[in-house]
Amino acid sequence: MTSRALDPTPFIEHRQTLVDPDAEIVRDAFARLPKRGTIEVLCRWESRAETLRTLEHMGAFAIYIRPQEGFGQVRITALKGKSGACHETGRSATYTGAALAAMDDDQHLIVGTIRVCEKTGGLYTLPPYHGLLTVTSGDEDMIRRLETDPLPFDCGTFESDADSLARRDLVSTSLSEPFMAVFYPGPFKLLVLRDGTVLRRGRCTRISARLGKDLEKRDGVLLLPPPRMGEAEQPMHYPTAYRELGVGCLPDGIVVAAEVPCPTATDDFDSTLTEQAKNELKTSPREIRRRLSRLIESEELYFILAGSDPSDTMGCCPSIQVGAANRLVEAGVLACYRTPAPRDACTTTIYAFAGEIRICEGQPEFHFSHSVRRQVSAVFALIERGQRRQTALKTGLLMLVGVSLVLAGRRAVLAFGGSGLVFGEAMVRTLGVARGDTRLFLCLFQGHDTCTACDSMGRFCRRTIEAHFAPQTEAGLLVFREVAYDAPDNRAIKRQLGLYTSTVGLVRYVHGKPKEIRLLTREAWTLWTDEEAFVRMLRENIQQMLAQEP
């Protein structure tokens, strides 16, 4: 599948060049650029760190540092134009360099192939990323929805991606091996090498010579000239730093080791939770409560979310979890620290319990507040007792659902057994079945009023086919569809399948004729809170139906 490239013309036509500017001049010049453009800064070698930091804080991306005149000067180029909402169009990106992973200026951690939103997928097709990333073009149906009914994209995967990266198998290296003194120019913010070494943009670093050769060839890593070799520092080893500081050690400047606690006003923090705070905890989304429980049980210090508060009309990538976490901040349950970024850019926020974040020289430090954690645990214990009281009622309801599923299953078999002409026509129209099609349709059947469970099912369906069935999807053999069964034209579908709530189904056509339908209602509703189990269940069912003879 070829990529839908973003037009590079505006970035080329709108270019601002500065010579030896201070930080304020860089900020003003970047702000004056139109929506999309390029800024170029020629400065002394010693000034590169301040210039780089200023551009990162202004929201620049694809920043690249070219040493000049024997590393006495540098020419820094950076792009503007990454603001805007993130929408799902089924795109994915693959890092093709020599490192284990790369992290861009929006803190997308690219390990092999990852899902990306339409905006990020377009940015990755620009010249600075050529030869380092390949990008797919996405799903045509999702793309058509961009103008009328765009699908939201979940940006909040940094924590899980960073956790997974820390557990990857690494190449073994030793201090006795030959090393290279190198300089990473970009365009990524950092690379995580195959031995766990973190190579940051704009830094002079010592790395294994065995790994460095491929990085020179495929990622543009530069050897330091002899006069600069003494500036090479010992790099951070990501798995080691992860065990000590968590995933926040990876984005530069978020979480660092604190040698001496900083005295601040938070030393006098009142740790008593108000009734409002407790009520906010009780009504917070399940995922947020799970995150807080993990902080307490595992004695972790913080968690990280990407995206903006849905109440912020200027924000990028509205996130329900960010909104819920911010309400807990307002109620006095949590404290937060946001990384510097323009208001309309994708932001990263780090959350800890109230009183646990202290800012020292512009960076957050973390100190346990055992009193707050005990009070939150007590609230969660009350919630758990209430949930147990509802177990008997839920059991009865599940029995009723089971009976309904049997009836729904009979209706599904009858539908593809020759009866229900109106139903068959409605399915062909809604799914977009063409003459002679041999396809398997993964369907999310849902009504007008959706819920958290419905949204989770849809998200898990998309992730399943993207992660496990990309070749079949690209070949058109497997297609994802959302079916609004309450729509007037789909009443026959609702009636024939006995749909009374959202569910997931697999519908198989062979040579344009209906062959089989498999409703997964019980499985979907049992597993919708467990993504790993849901994806495994769905993958097995899809594999079974794809393997059947026509």
Side-chain angles (χ1 to χ4, degrees), residues 20-31:
D20 288 327
D22 59 24
E24 190 62 33
I25 292 175
V26 174
R27 282 192 287 268
D28 289 345
F30 190 85

Side-chain angles (χ1 to χ4, degrees), residues 84-101:
C86 295
H87 294 137
E88 172 71 82
T89 55
R91 302 187 84 166
S92 62
T94 302
Y95 166 67
T96 58
L100 180 63

